[in-house]
Amino acid sequence: MTGGDPWPWLILFSLGTYHGVNPGMGWLFAVALGMQERDRRAVWRALLPITAGHAVAVGAVLLLALLAGALLPLARLKYVVAAILIALGVYRLARQRHPRYGGMQVGFLDLTVWSFLMATAHGAGLMVVPVFLGMTDAPHGAGHDHAGTAGSLLAGAGPMTGLAATAVHTLGYLIVTGVVAVIVYEKLGVALLRRAWVNLDRIWAFALIGTGVFSLFL
């Protein structure tokens, strides 16, 4: 599916934009830093480490999928990913509270770690895995049956494809995160976001569950 098919890449980019809309994935933190320093440049400075942390979180999950694929049959790996996504979505529905890891730090490394933890806690990388599992040009002829390992089926979607997938996803994330952060900082402020936050968190939980169910049909 990686050859001339643009749909996996469009889906990865779209997932990045969707992650960028979620305030818990970075833009709310960038706005808070801008307001704290009373400087629009603080918002822009925060975007690089926040984006880097998100990219590392997504890339790490794709790497784990490749490593797991060397041992597990593809069908079984899909079930594992689906189960984790659905469980995480149900957990977030039950908890309905924003995790607070890493604290309100302002250093580059602190922001990167904070973003990595937020993306991991929200299951951002896991949502990308079902798309990545379908990105393969591996043949299904001799030596490749339907019970083959995910590692063999992902031969056409190895580390370089994983890097490309992470880059495309992160680009969508960065564009939306930057645009939303600047608009909110310049026009809206953060006073109205508490109510919106609860609604978005619930939507996010349902999206995790939906992605888990969807991954079963890839």
Side-chain angles (χ1 to χ4, degrees):
M1 210 163 65
T2 57
D5 188 356
W7 285 108
W9 304 103
L10 291 174
I11 293 172
L12 288 169
F13 184 86
S14 298
L15 281 174
T17 63
Y18 175 61
H19 292 167
V21 170
N22 191 327
M25 302 291 258
W27 66 257
L28 181 59
F29 199 98
V31 170
L33 287 177
M35 290 185 166
Q36 178 180 309
E37 298 186 18
R38 300 173 182 267
D39 188 351
R40 181 196 303 169
R41 291 174 295 181
V43 177
W44 292 110
R45 286 197 303 269
L47 291 178
L48 180 58
I50 286 174
T51 301
H54 187 90
V56 171
V58 171
V61 173
L62 295 186
L63 176 60
L64 288 174
L66 284 171
L67 294 176
L71 302 174
L72 295 176
L74 180 62
R76 186 173 301 176
L77 182 57
K78 287 182 179 180
Y79 284 125
V80 170
V81 172
I84 294 174
L85 282 167
I86 293 171
L88 183 57
V90 171
Y91 172 75
R92 293 192 64 79
L93 273 177
R95 192 162 183 240
Q96 285 292 308
R97 189 174 65 183
H98 177 50
R100 299 180 180 275
Y101 306 122
M104 287 287 290
Q105 305 293 333
V106 295
F108 186 98
L109 180 60
D110 295 314
L111 278 173
T112 303
V113 171
W114 178 88
S115 179
F116 171 83
L117 291 172
M118 288 299 99
T120 302
H122 283 79
L126 286 171
M127 292 184 74
V128 176
V129 171
V131 182
F132 184 62
L133 288 178
M135 298 176 70
T136 173
D137 292 325
H140 292 275
H144 293 270
D145 56 29
H146 292 289
T149 64
S152 63
L153 292 176
L154 286 170
M160 294 307 297
T161 303
L163 288 175
T166 302
V168 170
H169 173 85
T170 302
L171 177 62
Y173 168 81
L174 174 59
I175 291 173
V176 172
T177 299
V179 169
V180 174
V182 171
I183 290 176
V184 172
Y185 178 80
E186 296 286 352
K187 304 295 183 181
L188 302 178
V190 295
L192 54 78
L193 294 177
R194 184 175 298 275
R195 182 181 181 87
W197 163 259
V198 173
N199 294 335
L200 282 171
D201 203 44
R202 185 171 299 167
I203 292 171
W204 184 263
F206 281 117
L208 288 169
I209 296 171
T211 305
V213 173
F214 170 75
S215 68
L216 295 175
F217 298 97
L218 286 178

